[in-house]
Amino acid sequence: MTGLKNLPSISIIDDGSASNGAAAMPRAGDRDAGGGGGESAESKLIIVGSGPAGLTAAIYAARANLEPIVIAGYAPGGQLMITSDVENYPGFPEGVQGPELMALFRQQAERFGTRFVDLDVDRVDFGQRPFRLWAGDVEYRAESVVVATGASALWLGLENETRLRGRGVSACATCDGFFFKNRKVAVVGGGDTALEEATFLTKFADEVLLLHRRDSFRGSKIMQDRALAHPKIRVRWNTEVLDVLGENSVDGLKLRDTVSGEETVEAAQGLFIAIGYKPNTDLFRDWLDLDGQGYLVVRDETGSKIDGVFIAGDVHDHRYRQAITAAGDGCRAAIDAERWLEAQGITESATASAW
């Protein structure tokens, strides 16, 4: 995710058209001639979310003639839109920029007739079919829904942390550790995620500085023992990050001792934030089951407690959180949705040949 390159500027705009001759749907915000009320649009399948899970689901669903609508969000593309070098996605031996990869996903989905709406969903009603979702001034109705809204990494909220994201600041050691060979990096956090990230980074970095604002870790005993025993890991207790230093890439951190208040500067070429993730599930709390960490609960591979509503990607997966696993989830959810629609008599079985 990090690397040391600037993110390319990629603009994805919904022009209200549909490819392959599919009928154009109303754009959010369009109104009737009298100026009152909003429009509505219908589909066999609506996909909420436009990261790897949502876009892969769209590709599969469109090829199965389900004419999916993707409600992509105001910031479409998911977390890969703030990711620079992606070197672990198959098919790109030289690596690929995250935004470029998402643009390719989207172009492929559009090629088969997927229709996109670049707005956030305001609310949903899964009480009966057709399911209803509202985005802007438009009510969308669908016989089935794939929820692929992902999860958002929690950040420290520092201005330079945001500015240097993708240029030394990361929230994924598995994605970006390779870029920090023979360098010194810091990891912020005190739970299992931080301990795992720090231990993983020792495969590449010369030194891993583990920063925790308290005097003891919250992670499991086995992960604590591994981290504390590793010769490359140095722990600084009672320490918080005040600022990230560097012009074009990270070259240091301004730190504060939470007990004494003393401020120091520590050299580092990378900063990994590992203070947790927040699944984007607020829209669905009244309708779908959530686990103790707030992630959606999957039933029977990709299903939910509501027939016809399917789940894919990081909105339920808090173990792997990789683009390729999310894409695989999107594939499975689309296939399950198509087969469910077929069983309901809404689509014909011949569409299954599209797989």
Side-chain angles (χ1 to χ4, degrees), residues 63-282:
R63 293 189 73 246
N65 297 324
L66 299 185
E67 299 176 341
I69 296 172
V70 173
I71 305 181
Y74 283 113
Q79 292 194 63
L80 282 183
M81 294 303 288
I82 57 170
T83 303
S84 55
D85 295 305
V86 178
E87 295 197 329
N88 56 5
Y89 199 89
F92 296 91
E94 302 301 321
V96 61
Q97 296 283 296
E100 179 186 356
L101 182 61
M102 289 296 89
L104 292 171
F105 272 47
R106 177 155 172 158
Q107 289 166 18
Q108 190 170 356
E110 288 177 324
R111 174 191 169 199
F112 297 111
T114 301
R115 298 173 284 171
F116 282 86
V117 179
D118 289 330
L119 293 173
D120 291 336
V121 174
D122 301 314
R123 61 189 176 98
V124 303
D125 184 347
F126 292 162
Q128 62 182 6
R129 295 201 342 258
F131 303 121
R132 298 191 296 165
L133 306 90
W134 288 265
D137 293 329
V138 180
E139 176 184 328
Y140 297 89
R141 299 180 183 181
E143 297 296 328
S144 60
V145 172
V146 171
V147 176
T149 47
S152 301
L154 299 177
W155 300 92
L156 300 175
L158 304 174
E159 181 179 349
N160 284 332
E161 170 197 44
T162 301
R163 182 176 63 84
L164 293 170
R165 202 175 294 170
R167 291 183 285 172
V169 176
S170 171
C172 181
T174 307
C175 310
D176 303 326
F178 177 82
F179 298 109
F180 296 89
K181 284 185 175 180
N182 306 316
R183 298 187 181 186
K184 178 180 176 180
V185 300
V187 177
V188 179
D192 274 348
T193 299
L195 297 169
E196 290 170 3
E197 299 268 275
T199 303
F200 178 83
L201 286 166
T202 61
K203 298 178 181 180
F204 309 101
D206 283 342
E207 181 181 355
V208 179
L209 184 63
L210 187 50
L211 308 172
H212 186 40
R213 59 182 298 121
R214 298 180 177 84
D215 60 2
S216 62
F217 290 127
R218 295 174 286 107
S220 60
K221 184 66 164 57
I222 187 170
M223 290 307 304
Q224 291 189 46
D225 291 344
R226 288 177 184 172
L228 292 171
H230 202 288
K232 284 190 176 182
I233 296 177
R234 176 164 63 95
V235 179
R236 283 193 56 165
W237 306 104
N238 302 312
T239 300
E240 63 179 352
V241 178
L242 293 182
D243 201 2
V244 185
L245 308 177
E247 194 62 36
N248 297 313
S249 61
V250 174
D251 59 31
L253 304 171
K254 185 177 182 181
L255 307 176
R256 175 181 175 273
D257 188 300
T258 59
V259 176
S260 68
E262 180 185 3
E263 296 182 5
T264 57
V265 172
E266 183 93 36
Q269 290 76 55
L271 175 64
F272 289 81
I273 311 299
I275 57 176
Y277 286 80
K278 181 184 183 300
N280 302 319
T281 55
D282 289 347

Side-chain angles (χ1 to χ4, degrees), residues 8-24:
S9 176
I10 292 183
S11 176
I12 301 178
I13 303 173
D14 175 30
D15 64 2
S17 64
S19 60
N20 286 357

